[in-house]
Amino acid sequence: MAVASRSSVMTADEMKKEISVPQTHTVQKFDVPSLASNKKPFEMTDDEIKKEISVPRTHLDQKFDVASLFAIVTNILNPATIAADNVFRGTKQPHMEIKGERAIATSFIPPLCKLKELSYEMACKDPGVETAYKTTKSILEKLKDYSWHAKAVLTLAAFALDYGDFCRHLDQLHSSDQLTKSLGILKGIPALLPQPSIDHKHEGAIVELNKLIKDTLNVIDCIVTLEERSVKYNPNDLPALSIATNNSSIYVFWAIITVVACTTRMSCLSKDESKTHELSQFSEKINEIHGKLKLHIQLCNEEIEKIEAYWKLIRFLKEPLDIAEVLKALIFASDNRQRVKVFPNELILEAVKTKNVLLFFTDLDVDKISEYVSIRTPIYENIPSKYKDKYEVVWIPIVDQWTNDMQKKFELLRSQMSWFVVQNFSSISGIKYVREQWHFKNEPIILVLNPQGTVEHHNAAPMIKIWGPRAFPFTHWKDEELRKSEDWFGSLMLEFSPDIPTWIDEGKHIFFYGGKDSTWVKEFTKEATCFADDAVKGARISLFNVGNGSGSLGHFWKLIDNFFLYKSQMVTELDPMTKEIEKLLSYKNEKGWVVLCKGARLVFSGYGTTVLTVLKNFDEWRQCLNDSVSDFEVCLEEHYNEQLFKDGFPGRVIDIPKSDGLIPDNRKCPDCSKIMETSFRFKCCDHNQHGFNLKFCHNHHGTKAQLRGSNIGQTERVNPVETNRSYEAVAEAPPQPPVQYSSGTTAST
């Protein structure tokens, strides 16, 4: 049997008594931690605001379609503000479609719960800047896992939910539709409408609010636009975008706090309250930010235009049509800042068709350029006749800012040239391409292009400077051939004396020598002459004092410096030729040095004092010579190494002239192959290392030798020498096998 519920048998009085709740005058309070102190944002600096709004993220950025949400917000607020203007300003603007309207993805699902949460956070707040600041801090806390532009769009979307609905009912309050009319009454619309009895008291406030909403929408539009740019382009390539991105948190903060202030103003007006939210400060700040953002976008667009032109040039030059098209795209680009002039005439594109072109890029350093001008004539004279009309040279000076002094230098240099000259090459994309793709760093480079516009050599300048006519036809394969040539030293010495080519053709041994100590030079000349006159089996010896002549020694070292830089461009590991060049350079500041060649081939080089001692002691090793010429070379070098071991290795110090882009970051010692100390010079090992073994002079940490062997079978530990590098990082060499000293002592390094 069913039992009736108690409520079904209660009287009305009993039910009233049952559901009544005693009313108290106290309100239950909860201790909620304050999100922000009562700070006044208009009195705070940007750095202070950044510090205040910095909230640690707990998760990865929340991902959603910001662009689609912002498109919806724009589609709401644009007609909503028009509706408000039509009502309160008496305008009759049509609800036109927005030009350049952003697309809304068909699969887009709005984050409705989050929008409702934000709308609730902003609703019914007391007016005041401090309250708006606290509310903004709370919103930023809720959105801490979203990107900055997403924070702004989400907040504006939450506002648009209410303001769009508010304006729709405002526009249709007098409709006969009872649903629309009733909802409008619930939203407080009648209190706002202009009526004679209230003398349009809210008209100015609504107009001000409406304008600020449009201005804030414009600010967030700029924020979203810059965010879209940062996704497509690298901010590091766009300074204006980088600056805007660094300040995005500030711009978003002011956009959000302004939306909060607008919400409070709308709430006050809807309730027809006498108190209201002052918006003038927010309006001034938003306009200020809007001006900054528009400038950022303008500068960003200009920078993007430059980048697009650069990328277009890169794509074009990857597969050029012919040489004329390459020069047209490079020299006569549309982004030239000045009118390009070509000397001796403007017919350069016609003249280069079907020809190889040497593009000569420089700054306006007269000395450096004159050096290339001076070698042009002998090169041209030695080019085979059938190729003379197959090559054109085009000089293109790159100058950041032309001045009267620059113009004078240019005219002076141009007067010395018989080739094409381009003045006012100022294409932004072209200069960027030359610097980044062809690696021009203010040192002269000569780029070689064939008639099809393809690069045959990215920089033939060092090759031309070193080899002169032998560099023809100035291609990579010719460069590679010359770099590997065993007769490199003899070839470099041809210009010093007319006798040298004859000696080389005769296959003679040649002692090239020089030094800073004239006494040593005289002593070596005397001793080497006697040695050459002696009956050395199978060897015919000639002597050449490199320092015998005005400026010849300086020219010699300049030649070796250039050859080192030339080799260093392509070679990073120690091949035999590079080792010999580095050894030569280490003799530059010595009392004396000696190079022995067989014909044009370098046999060995050494310290002058040690070689002199070996020659003086010739009687001690004369017996090791046989009939073979190679025995002379082997015996001389063997006794040189033995004498060097006895004297103590002086250490390697290599001074290299500064040349932008050509100096390697580090060099290996030509003796032990470890990384040498680097500052403005390359240096290896300590001085006077007796018991030095030519194979190992470094410990496994890459510092100077810490072990010194003695001739009595003992090993002495030496304190490591302090290094003096201009770079902090030092490559660490792997542990080395035990060092075998000539005395038989074994020591682990």
Side-chain angles (χ1 to χ4, degrees):
M1 178 177 178
V3 179
S5 65
R6 183 170 180 268
S7 60
S8 63
V9 296
M10 292 175 65
T11 65
D13 289 340
E14 288 174 333
M15 190 172 292
K16 286 181 181 179
K17 184 177 179 180
E18 184 73 17
I19 64 175
S20 65
V21 178
Q23 185 175 0
T24 62
H25 295 288
T26 60
V27 178
Q28 187 174 4
K29 295 183 178 181
F30 298 91
D31 292 330
V32 180
S34 174
L35 288 168
S37 58
N38 294 330
K39 294 194 175 184
K40 298 180 179 180
F42 290 104
E43 297 176 5
M44 298 168 65
T45 65
D46 287 350
D47 288 338
E48 289 173 337
I49 293 175
K50 281 183 180 180
K51 186 176 180 181
E52 283 291 318
I53 64 178
S54 175
V55 179
R57 295 179 180 178
T58 56
H59 307 287
L60 295 175
D61 283 347
Q62 293 289 338
K63 302 293 184 182
F64 77 99
D65 189 350
V66 180
S68 290
L69 180 60
F70 186 65
I72 293 172
V73 171
T74 303
N75 293 343
I76 292 172
L77 291 181
N78 274 317
T81 52
I82 290 174
D85 281 342
N86 286 344
V87 172
F88 289 98
R89 302 180 69 175
T91 57
K92 295 183 180 180
Q93 303 177 63
H95 291 203
M96 60 186 71
E97 292 186 8
I98 311 301
K99 291 184 179 180
E101 182 178 335
R102 286 180 167 86
I104 302 172
T106 54
S107 60
F108 175 69
I109 300 175
L112 194 59
C113 292
K114 180 62 70 175
L115 298 180
K116 288 287 187 181
E117 182 183 1
L118 296 176
S119 178
Y120 176 77
E121 182 67 41
M122 293 187 287
C124 301
K125 298 293 184 181
D126 291 332
V129 175
E130 292 85 355
T131 303
Y133 178 72
K134 289 181 180 179
T135 304
T136 301
K137 285 275 290 183
S138 179
I139 290 171
L140 291 174
E141 174 67 28
K142 293 179 186 297
L143 300 177
K144 63 184 178 182
D145 294 327
Y146 291 86
S147 62
W148 282 107
H149 80 299
K151 290 178 172 70
V153 172
L154 282 165
T155 306
L156 188 63
F159 172 80
L161 276 176
D162 294 326
Y163 192 71
D165 204 27
F166 169 84
C167 290
R168 180 168 61 87
H169 289 298
L170 179 69
D171 197 28
Q172 300 178 7
L173 184 66
H174 297 299
S175 168
S176 59
D177 180 19
Q178 287 300 316
L179 176 61
T180 301
K181 187 172 183 178
S182 298
L183 287 173
I185 292 171
L186 283 179
K187 291 182 176 292
I189 302 301
L192 300 176
L193 287 176
Q195 302 173 27
S197 60
I198 56 177
D199 194 23
H200 305 274
K201 66 177 183 179
H202 293 304
E203 180 177 339
I206 287 289
V207 170
E208 181 186 24
L209 171 63
N210 209 42
K211 182 179 183 304
L212 184 54
I213 291 169
K214 289 188 284 186
D215 292 342
T216 306
L217 176 62
N218 289 334
V219 164
I220 296 178
D221 190 3
C222 290
I223 292 171
V224 172
T225 298
L226 287 168
E227 176 63 24
E228 290 171 349
R229 298 282 196 279
S230 69
V231 171
K232 185 175 181 181
Y233 301 95
N234 185 348
N236 294 330
D237 295 332
L238 303 172
L241 181 59
S242 180
I243 293 171
T245 302
N246 291 337
N247 291 308
S248 60
S249 60
I250 290 294
Y251 302 146
V252 170
F253 166 81
W254 283 110
I256 291 177
I257 197 173
T258 302
V259 171
V260 171
C262 288
T263 305
T264 303
R265 165 64 74 89
M266 190 175 70
S267 177
C268 292
L269 293 172
S270 299
K271 292 184 289 186
D272 197 20
E273 297 177 348
S274 58
K275 60 180 180 179
T276 186
H277 202 312
E278 179 59 45
L279 298 181
S280 58
Q281 281 185 296
F282 292 97
S283 181
E284 290 176 7
K285 192 68 180 179
I286 282 295
N287 285 327
E288 175 192 333
I289 290 174
H290 190 210
K292 290 181 179 179
L293 288 170
K294 285 196 298 183
L295 180 59
H296 284 317
I297 291 175
Q298 178 186 338
L299 295 176
C300 187
N301 288 340
E302 291 174 1
E303 291 166 355
I304 287 173
E305 188 178 339
K306 296 175 186 176
I307 288 179
E308 295 286 1
Y310 176 60
W311 288 349
K312 181 180 179 181
L313 185 62
I314 288 177
R315 290 191 295 269
F316 178 80
L317 294 182
K318 274 187 177 179
E319 297 180 359
L321 300 175
D322 56 52
I323 184 62
E325 290 296 324
V326 170
L327 295 191
K328 181 180 178 181
L330 185 70
I331 300 174
F332 300 103
S334 59
D335 61 345
N336 269 302
R337 291 163 292 180
Q338 295 174 280
R339 182 182 176 276
V340 173
K341 300 178 182 178
V342 180
F343 302 93
N345 56 62
E346 300 284 342
L347 302 178
I348 182 173
L349 299 182
E350 189 66 29
V352 299
K353 284 183 177 180
T354 72
K355 292 187 178 181
N356 297 279
V357 175
L358 278 64
L359 296 181
F360 183 30
F361 294 102
T362 71
D363 56 11
L364 285 179
D365 188 315
V366 175
D367 292 336
K368 291 178 181 177
I369 297 171
S370 297
E371 185 176 3
Y372 287 93
V373 174
S374 64
I375 63 176
R376 188 262 182 190
T377 300
I379 290 176
Y380 182 78
E381 290 176 350
N382 285 276
I383 290 178
S385 299
K386 63 179 180 179
Y387 295 116
K388 288 186 186 294
D389 61 347
K390 298 295 183 182
Y391 285 80
E392 289 285 354
V393 179
V394 181
W395 177 42
I396 308 177
I398 295 180
V399 180
D400 293 328
Q401 184 65 46
W402 285 90
T403 63
N404 291 335
D405 183 52
M406 293 285 189
Q407 186 65 35
K408 290 178 182 177
K409 286 184 178 180
F410 172 78
E411 295 297 341
L412 172 65
L413 291 165
R414 184 171 71 86
S415 66
Q416 303 172 16
M417 298 180 181
S418 56
W419 50 64
F420 280 104
V421 175
V422 177
Q423 186 181 10
N424 296 339
F425 174 57
S426 53
S427 165
I428 297 171
S429 58
I431 291 175
K432 183 178 176 68
Y433 189 91
V434 172
R435 290 189 181 280
E436 295 187 3
Q437 301 299 319
W438 292 339
H439 310 296
F440 172 70
K441 299 180 180 179
N442 298 325
E443 289 291 316
I445 68 169
I446 297 177
L447 189 94
V448 183
L449 300 169
N450 63 22
Q452 291 74 44
T454 305
V455 176
E456 292 288 351
H457 202 305
H458 281 88
N459 186 14
M463 173 174 66
I464 291 172
K465 185 191 292 187
I466 294 293
W467 300 108
R470 289 187 65 186
F472 181 81
F474 320 116
T475 57
H476 277 296
W477 65 263
K478 185 62 178 180
D479 199 358
E480 190 66 22
E481 176 188 307
L482 292 172
R483 287 178 192 274
K484 295 178 179 179
S485 174
E486 291 188 355
D487 66 352
W488 63 273
F489 186 82
S491 298
L492 295 179
M493 301 304 294
L494 291 175
E495 62 182 274
F496 283 86
S497 170
D499 294 329
I500 294 175
T502 303
W503 297 341
I504 289 176
D505 290 341
E506 293 174 354
K508 283 189 172 183
H509 284 89
I510 309 169
F511 276 121
F512 295 97
Y513 62 98
K516 289 196 168 186
D517 188 337
S518 59
T519 301
W520 176 89
V521 171
K522 291 177 181 177
E523 189 175 359
F524 181 83
T525 301
K526 179 181 178 181
E527 193 66 39
T529 301
C530 295
F531 180 79
D533 292 340
D534 205 318
V536 179
K537 295 181 180 179
R540 293 177 299 151
I541 301 173
S542 295
L543 309 178
F544 185 78
N545 178 4
V546 177
N548 187 16
S550 177
S552 59
L553 191 59
H555 178 63
F556 170 80
W557 287 121
K558 184 176 182 180
L559 202 62
I560 300 301
D561 286 339
N562 289 337
F563 195 74
F564 171 79
L565 297 176
Y566 165 67
K567 282 284 292 180
S568 298
Q569 283 183 290
M570 302 291 288
V571 178
T572 55
E573 293 301 318
L574 282 172
D575 58 33
M577 187 189 301
T578 306
K579 284 186 178 183
E580 289 302 332
I581 299 168
E582 291 184 354
K583 285 181 181 180
L584 272 173
L585 287 170
S586 71
Y587 304 141
K588 189 184 296 186
N589 294 312
E590 293 293 328
K591 291 171 58 177
W593 52 268
V594 179
V595 174
L596 175 64
C597 286
K598 174 65 169 69
R601 177 179 59 86
L602 188 148
V603 175
F604 94 102
S605 63
Y607 293 96
T609 52
T610 306
V611 175
L612 180 59
T613 302
V614 171
L615 296 187
K616 287 181 177 180
N617 298 334
F618 175 55
D619 289 339
E620 297 178 8
W621 54 277
R622 180 193 295 270
Q623 297 303 318
C624 80
L625 295 178
N626 295 317
D627 294 333
S628 173
V629 174
S630 61
D631 286 339
F632 162 65
E633 298 170 7
V634 171
C635 289
L636 179 61
E637 187 169 5
E638 181 181 304
H639 283 80
Y640 169 82
N641 287 334
E642 289 179 0
Q643 188 63 45
L644 187 65
F645 181 84
K646 294 176 184 178
D647 294 344
F649 190 77
R652 298 285 182 193
V653 178
I654 302 176
D655 291 317
I656 304 297
K658 186 179 184 302
S659 182
D660 292 340
L662 296 179
I663 296 292
D665 292 333
N666 54 61
R667 296 302 302 180
K668 292 181 179 179
C669 172
D671 297 307
C672 67
S673 299
K674 301 301 185 299
I675 299 298
M676 291 184 281
E677 295 179 7
T678 308
S679 54
F680 291 101
R681 58 174 47 179
F682 296 103
K683 182 179 181 182
C684 178
C685 302
D686 199 6
H687 292 282
N688 302 316
Q689 293 287 317
H690 290 282
F692 174 82
N693 184 281
L694 290 178
K695 292 185 179 179
F696 302 101
C697 71
H698 282 61
N699 64 17
H700 64 278
H701 293 297
T703 59
K704 296 175 184 175
Q706 289 184 271
L707 297 177
R708 178 184 296 155
S710 67
N711 291 327
I712 56 174
Q714 296 179 344
T715 300
E716 176 188 357
R717 181 166 294 280
V718 182
N719 291 328
V721 181
E722 294 295 328
T723 59
N724 182 26
R725 296 179 176 87
S726 58
Y727 306 100
E728 292 297 329
V730 179
E732 183 173 312
Q736 299 294 334
V739 175
Q740 294 288 343
Y741 291 94
S742 59
S743 61
T745 302
T746 301
S748 297
T749 56

